[in-house]
Amino acid sequence: MAASLDDDFESNNQDYYSLLNVRKEATLEELKASYRRLCMLYHPDKHRNPELKSQAQQLFNEVRQAYEVLSDDHSRAIYDLFGKKGLEVEGWEVVERKRTPAEIREEYERLQREREERRLQQRTNPKGTISVGVDATDLFDRYDEDFEELPGGGFPHIEINKMHISQSIEAPLTNSDTAVLSGSLSTHNGNGGGNINMTVRRVTSAKGWGEVEFGAGDILGPLIGLKVFRNITPRCFMTAQCGLQFSPRGLRPTCSLMTARHLDQNTMGYLQWRWGPNSAMTTSLVRDTKSSHFTLSLQLGVAHSYMMMSYQYKFQDEDQTKVKGSVKTGWFGTVVEYGAERRISRHSVLSATVSIGVPQGVTLKIKLARANQTYLFPVHLTDQLLPSAVFYATAGPLLVYVAVHRLIIIPYSQAQKKQELELQKKSSATDIAKKKQEAESTVVLMQESVRRIIEAEESKMGLIILNAWYGKFVSDTSQKQEKAKVIDVTVPLQCLVKDSKLILTESSKGGLPGFYDPCVGEEKSLKLLYQFRGVMHQVISADNEPLRIPKQSHRLESAP
């Protein structure tokens, strides 16, 4: 998460170090010296022209803001990690100031999560699931004598035998109270039912919350439930739940208690006790790392006892590909599952799982998750363990995915990227035009100061910047092509000359006052032609290379 945020900030933030022309390791004294010099240079009171005064005020405010951030150790540490936008995240004012960079990064991610949660609370945050069960057993379990008596009996009979639809919405009532309304409808072989639930959750403290649930349905009757969550220690938490179901057979009380503990940084242990119609005791061990996910679970119960083990491997690719496998055995039989999951677009994840069980048979499960909506398609292929069913359940989805990926997904993604690139180019062109206008206004503000600096340098045969160009220099010698991607920065650099010296830090030169980036995303350099003590000098410096002039090595050989 942090890495992607850093990339986004890097492309949108102004470089405070470059603006003040100081090193990233600059001391407070160096910051003060640069700040005072720039304040004297750009102070709005030095201009009577209203337009120039307004431009000077804007630049003066930018310099002051840069100094205020970099002169404060806490703000500077945040800026160094996350840039200017990192400082805009709410909550830093209550964070302990003496923190290491790792602690600041962790705190920033926490504040980001809280901000995202607040954004979600401002919406209804709908979540839904649609499941469509398909019975395709006639593909493999056909009885030819039955089909001979039916018209069109040569074709296997495939039908939808069950469906399930559920939906929920959230409504924040106060800062600590949230109401959740949910409902579901189910049907199986012509018989079905539905229910509706209303839940009110209250966050009692940073360590816990509680919720009350009210429900009603056309089969089981009304429901009243209570659930409580509590952090016992920083590494351990507990959830307790109880409920009363009013059914035609009378009251059906239920109760469950679950405790969990962090065994190490990536491993969690769970212990759950459940009492009611399906009483059971379950213990689980879950280990989740960057590259894998492992689960081991054991349940002992009145109705169902089983042992389950699953493993998932996470590929470190941009599509977040995962392969998984699991085995589950108990009183109901044995089930082996294997499958894969992959992100097919920015908001969509597609997965396919093959389930092979005794006595369940072979089932192919297709799942599509898009944003907060989930679509499930379990396709039951056969009640028996047929190699042909297993083969087609495995190879079929792979072939379909490859065909759809190449014929639909890739062209669609390429079209989207092309459209985003065009929008980015338009946005970049607008941003460059704005930066260019600001740089030109800054150069106008510098004219009077530059004139005084040049007079002082000429009187002592000091440093005079004759020509300075910044941008991308092409190999073609055509002057038109060369000037197309470079800008004249003679005035801004002369303005930075002090005591016949010009010192530029390793920060990008594009952030210096009077500069702008004429070719975003491309490699740039700085080319100077200057005079010192009546002798011509020339130097070419990379964008992020520190530069100090004058230097004897820059001297041009005298003509014969």
Side-chain angles (χ1 to χ4, degrees):
M1 175 183 175
S4 60
L5 289 169
D6 292 344
D7 294 340
D8 179 59
F9 292 160
E10 189 175 327
S11 62
N12 290 290
N13 280 333
Q14 183 182 31
D15 189 344
Y16 285 161
Y17 291 101
S18 182
L19 179 63
L20 298 180
N21 190 30
V22 293
R23 302 173 299 116
K24 289 195 174 182
E25 302 81 15
T27 63
L28 184 59
E29 288 71 21
E30 291 174 328
L31 290 170
K32 286 181 179 179
S34 177
Y35 174 62
R36 288 170 182 168
R37 184 168 184 272
L38 292 175
C39 284
M40 293 177 62
L41 196 61
Y42 305 124
H43 202 285
D45 293 344
K46 301 178 72 173
H47 302 276
R48 294 184 179 180
N49 184 298
E51 185 177 350
L52 293 179
K53 190 180 185 71
S54 175
Q55 295 168 355
Q57 183 67 55
Q58 180 181 351
L59 189 57
F60 181 80
N61 291 339
E62 291 177 2
V63 170
R64 181 174 60 187
Q65 184 182 26
Y67 173 74
E68 289 176 351
V69 170
L70 299 184
S71 61
D72 181 85
D73 292 339
H74 185 64
S75 299
R76 185 173 180 175
I78 298 169
Y79 175 80
D80 287 344
L81 285 172
F82 305 107
K84 186 177 178 181
K85 287 191 176 181
L87 296 165
E88 298 173 2
V89 176
E90 298 177 3
W92 286 120
E93 63 276 2
V94 297
V95 176
E96 184 182 355
R97 300 181 67 84
K98 294 182 180 180
R99 294 263 181 138
T100 65
E103 291 173 332
I104 290 177
R105 180 177 289 275
E106 183 180 346
E107 192 66 30
Y108 175 80
E109 291 174 353
R110 183 187 68 81
L111 293 173
Q112 279 288 86
R113 288 194 297 269
E114 289 182 356
R115 185 171 69 170
E116 290 300 323
E117 289 173 1
R118 287 195 297 270
R119 285 180 179 176
L120 290 176
Q121 287 179 350
Q122 293 172 0
R123 305 195 301 262
T124 56
N125 193 26
K127 297 179 182 178
T129 300
I130 297 177
S131 178
V132 179
V134 180
D135 184 357
T137 54
D138 282 347
L139 289 172
F140 300 95
D141 298 337
R142 295 181 60 182
Y143 297 93
D144 294 337
E145 59 271 16
D146 294 339
F147 281 91
E148 290 175 357
E149 301 176 1
L150 297 174
F155 295 97
H157 183 61
I158 300 176
E159 64 176 3
I160 296 175
N161 61 351
K162 57 183 177 181
M163 290 187 67
H164 174 79
I165 300 175
S166 63
Q167 188 75 23
S168 69
I169 58 173
E170 295 183 2
L173 306 177
T174 65
N175 290 334
S176 58
D177 298 331
T178 303
V180 181
L181 180 64
S182 61
S184 66
L185 293 172
S186 300
T187 177
H188 188 195
N189 292 329
N191 299 316
N195 63 72
I196 186 170
N197 292 71
M198 178 71 177
T199 303
V200 179
R201 180 184 301 126
R202 163 164 286 190
V203 179
T204 56
S205 68
K207 293 185 177 181
W209 51 264
E211 65 180 28
V212 179
E213 179 183 10
F214 303 94
D218 60 350
I219 298 178
L220 297 177
L223 167 71
I224 300 177
L226 176 66
K227 187 176 182 180
V228 177
F229 170 86
R230 180 74 178 178
N231 277 315
I232 303 174
T233 68
R235 298 172 60 89
C236 182
F237 63 87
M238 179 184 69
T239 301
Q241 186 174 4
C242 61
L244 281 177
Q245 181 80 60
F246 297 87
S247 68
R249 297 181 180 180
L251 289 177
R252 299 174 61 184
T254 60
C255 184
S256 68
L257 181 66
M258 189 270 289
T259 61
R261 180 176 176 81
H262 289 273
L263 303 180
D264 61 37
Q265 185 178 0
N266 300 308
T267 308
M268 289 285 295
Y270 297 89
L271 182 63
Q272 183 179 23
W273 170 74
R274 193 168 61 247
W275 175 76
N278 299 313
S279 298
M281 177 73 78
T282 306
T283 180
S284 303
L285 184 69
V286 179
R287 181 169 178 80
D288 189 16
T289 66
K290 186 178 180 180
S291 60
S292 65
H293 182 93
F294 174 78
T295 301
L296 179 63
S297 181
L298 175 65
Q299 175 175 299
L300 298 175
V302 176
H304 298 288
S305 293
Y306 67 84
M307 183 174 70
M308 187 269 292
M309 181 173 65
S310 68
Y311 180 80
Q312 182 183 82
Y313 181 78
K314 308 173 187 177
F315 291 90
Q316 304 303 311
D317 60 350
E318 61 178 7
D319 292 326
Q320 301 175 6
T321 306
K322 303 174 184 177
V323 292
K324 51 189 176 181
S326 68
V327 57
K328 185 176 182 180
T329 182
W331 291 354
F332 55 84
T334 300
V335 177
V336 176
E337 292 188 347
Y338 59 89
E341 176 183 302
R342 194 171 196 184
R343 183 168 61 88
I344 58 175
S345 70
R346 183 178 301 176
H347 303 291
S348 301
V349 176
L350 179 65
S351 65
T353 304
V354 179
S355 177
I356 307 169
V358 179
Q360 291 85 355
V362 181
T363 301
L364 172 64
K365 302 175 183 178
I366 306 295
K367 177 181 176 182
L368 175 64
R370 179 167 178 81
N372 291 329
Q373 301 296 318
T374 303
Y375 306 90
L376 300 172
F377 302 93
V379 182
H380 189 51
L381 299 177
T382 175
D383 294 324
Q384 308 174 54
L385 294 183
L386 298 179
S388 58
V390 176
F391 173 78
Y392 284 109
T394 304
L398 285 175
L399 295 175
V400 172
Y401 173 77
V402 170
V404 172
H405 187 259
R406 291 187 176 181
L407 298 177
I408 299 177
I409 296 177
I410 291 181
Y412 175 75
S413 299
Q414 290 176 343
Q416 262 196 334
K417 288 180 179 179
K418 185 177 180 181
Q419 185 178 7
E420 290 176 358
L421 185 61
E422 291 297 325
L423 293 174
Q424 187 177 359
K425 285 182 178 179
K426 291 181 181 179
S427 176
S428 178
T430 303
D431 187 58
I432 289 176
K434 181 181 177 182
K435 295 292 183 182
K436 179 181 179 181
Q437 184 179 3
E438 292 176 354
E440 290 174 347
S441 300
T442 302
V443 169
V444 173
L445 294 174
M446 294 176 174
Q447 294 293 345
E448 182 60 28
S449 298
V450 168
R451 184 185 62 80
R452 292 196 300 267
I453 292 173
I454 291 177
E455 289 178 355
E457 293 296 324
E458 285 179 342
S459 65
K460 55 184 177 182
M461 296 186 67
L463 179 60
I464 306 295
I465 308 296
L466 301 176
N467 281 302
W469 301 92
Y470 173 72
K472 181 180 180 181
F473 294 91
V474 293
S475 57
D476 194 329
T477 56
S478 170
Q479 189 68 13
K480 290 184 179 180
Q481 281 191 319
E482 184 171 313
K483 286 190 176 181
K485 290 192 176 182
V486 298
I487 58 174
D488 187 346
V489 291
T490 306
V491 172
L493 288 182
Q494 185 67 66
C495 196
L496 294 175
V497 172
K498 182 181 180 182
D499 299 329
S500 299
K501 294 179 183 178
L502 174 63
I503 302 174
L504 301 179
T505 67
E506 71 278 1
S507 301
S508 173
K509 311 301 183 293
L512 291 169
F515 279 61
Y516 70 94
D517 193 342
C519 44
V520 179
E522 299 185 62
E523 188 175 346
K524 294 169 284 293
S525 56
L526 179 65
K527 184 177 181 179
L528 285 91
L529 179 65
Y530 64 93
Q531 180 178 303
F532 180 67
R533 294 180 179 174
V535 180
M536 303 292 288
H537 295 68
Q538 184 173 307
V539 62
I540 298 179
S541 173
D543 188 25
N544 294 101
E545 180 184 352
L547 178 65
R548 185 185 183 99
I549 62 174
K551 266 190 177 182
Q552 185 69 21
S553 58
H554 300 162
R555 183 169 178 171
L556 292 176
E557 294 183 4
S558 301

